[in-house]
Amino acid sequence: MKALHVITGLGVGGAEQQLRLLLRHLPLECEVVTLTNPGSVADGLRADGVRVHHLRMGGNRDLGALPRLTRLIRRGRYDLVHTHLYRACVYGRIAARLAGVRATVATEHSLGEAEIEGRPLTRPTRALYLGTERLGSATVAVSHTVAGRLRAWGVPQERIHVVPNGIDAARFRFDPERRAAVRARLGIAPDAFVVGGVGRLVAGKRFDALVRAVA
């Protein structure tokens, strides 16, 4: 079985890193196409042995990307197309249908209440998503919050499947030597109480709430 994963971009981000981690554990041949920005995660995927295609999409209204993606899918003879993030879901599901691929799965990694992929969430944006969602076989939500927003948009409950994000637990296991080394490097006392946050410095990650809570 051969699968193509379609994602909006491959810069540093949670969805992009989740895709890389997922591909390390899938028992099938996988390739990835990024619509834009083949950043550091693309380099990481290639280092893992995954073939990465760059569609060179010029923007949200680059309709020429649709036939390019359709041709790529048709040439690859993929059994499954799996899309990630809003723009890739819209273009990927249409292209998969045009290319004759009937098994299409989408993963929604994040849906904001008022924005999506950094842009305001408008009624036409939602309508476009719903129109293309029907072309897929199922939609995976990475959390119950995302699943609830999909339902609120109008996606039928029976098409939504919650699969929480995973992490490489072994990589983050407790290691007293590494703990001591990091504290020494940062000048933190061995018995000091430390709170950390990991994420991009954007408003949606709510580091302001973390700072207020710690205070």
Side-chain angles (χ1 to χ4, degrees), residues 2-81:
K2 188 177 180 183
L4 177 69
H5 291 262
V6 185
I7 191 165
T8 299
L10 284 173
V12 175
E16 296 81 2
Q17 294 288 5
Q18 278 291 312
L19 174 58
R20 185 182 178 191
L21 182 60
L22 175 67
L23 294 188
R24 292 175 178 174
H25 299 278
L26 287 179
L28 65 157
E29 180 184 353
C30 293
E31 296 181 4
V32 174
V33 57
T34 178
L35 303 186
T36 62
N37 186 23
S40 60
V41 180
D43 295 334
L45 285 166
R46 293 188 180 105
D48 293 341
V50 177
R51 185 179 183 185
V52 177
H53 308 268
H54 181 201
L55 201 65
R56 303 182 186 280
M57 189 175 185
N60 290 335
R61 299 182 180 179
D62 179 7
L63 298 182
L66 183 58
R68 294 200 303 273
L69 182 56
T70 302
R71 288 193 296 269
L72 188 152
I73 295 172
R74 191 174 287 130
R75 286 196 306 267
R77 296 180 177 274
Y78 302 101
D79 303 293
L80 169 70
V81 171

Side-chain angles (χ1 to χ4, degrees), residues 140-157:
V140 175
V142 300
S143 69
H144 290 287
T145 298
V146 171
R149 287 175 180 163
L150 285 169
R151 286 193 299 271
W153 279 24
V155 178
Q157 171 65 42

Side-chain angles (χ1 to χ4, degrees), residues 83 88-97 104 106 129 132-133 135-136 139:
T83 63
C89 286
V90 170
Y91 277 83
R93 285 186 285 225
I94 296 174
R97 177 58 64 91
T104 307
Y129 181 89
T132 59
E133 197 277 336
L135 300 178
T139 297

Side-chain angles (χ1 to χ4, degrees), residues 176-188:
E177 293 183 359
R178 292 177 65 184
R179 178 180 185 272
V182 170
R183 283 176 175 259
R185 186 168 71 246
L186 298 177
I188 301 173

